[in-house]
Amino acid sequence: METVMILLVEDLLLLDFEQALVGVGFAVLAVVSGKKALKILSDAATTIQGIVTDKRSQEAPDGWDVARFSREVDPEMPVV
């Protein structure tokens, strides 16, 4: 079975969430800012298959912005 790559965008509980997702079998690319997330999602060669993001972050862009952008890139991208 193929491992699903999740983009985790979180500024406070990053390590806890990353460990939980890896523990249930996901591959995780973890970043602490929306800017880094948008850069990854802009990459044409991205292998991201789902996103877990904090809706609020300490600096813009926030999780809502990441979610909206991810749906522009892939309208069927699962976002939590």
Side-chain angles (χ1 to χ4, degrees), residues 6-72:
I6 300 293
L7 175 60
L8 172 61
V9 187
E10 171 61 48
D11 52 359
L12 298 176
L13 300 171
L14 181 80
L15 294 177
D16 294 331
F17 288 155
E18 183 178 18
Q19 288 176 345
L21 290 166
V22 168
V24 295
F26 291 105
V28 178
L29 178 54
V31 297
V32 296
S33 75
K35 280 184 182 179
K36 290 180 183 177
L38 295 182
K39 184 175 180 184
I40 291 165
L41 292 169
S42 295
D43 183 359
T46 189
T47 59
I48 302 301
Q49 296 167 287
I51 299 172
V52 175
T53 184
D54 186 356
K55 65 182 180 179
R56 287 184 256 172
S57 61
Q58 295 181 3
E59 61 183 63
D62 64 14
W64 292 114
D65 297 323
V66 171
R68 279 189 286 277
F69 184 78
S70 70
R71 291 287 174 85
E72 290 174 16

